[in-house]
Amino acid sequence: MTLTLKQLELNKDYTFHVTVVHGEKNYAGELALKPDKIILTVKWEEFTDNPGAFWMEKNRSFIM
């Protein structure tokens, strides 16, 4: 595996697609680095018994 380092400039916005590991579960996520804040958005799906909505996509953002 080759590791490539990228220099980040603090006055620019960056977005990375990430995997968030919580216990034994993995979730899709997006990490946004901005000059004034950091946002981690975690996405997941939930299955439901509601026949009109077999599954629902959910997400939650954490702003630091």
Side-chain angles (χ1 to χ4, degrees):
M1 175 199 278
T2 303
L3 179 64
T4 303
L5 298 177
K6 181 176 181 180
Q7 181 175 338
L8 302 179
E9 297 180 36
L10 297 178
N11 62 342
K12 293 186 177 180
D13 292 355
Y14 297 92
T15 302
F16 302 95
H17 297 282
V18 298
T19 301
V20 179
V21 179
H22 180 68
E24 294 185 14
K25 295 187 177 185
N26 295 328
Y27 300 94
E30 183 177 275
L31 178 63
L33 304 177
K34 300 175 180 270
D36 59 336
K37 61 186 158 190
I38 299 170
I39 303 169
L40 174 62
T41 302
V42 181
K43 300 177 182 184
W44 70 94
E45 296 175 347
E46 282 188 6
F47 293 92
T48 176
D49 293 333
N50 182 346
F54 178 65
W55 63 271
M56 298 181 299
E57 184 175 313
K58 296 187 173 190
N59 65 62
R60 177 166 290 158
S61 293
F62 304 91
I63 301 174
M64 297 169 242

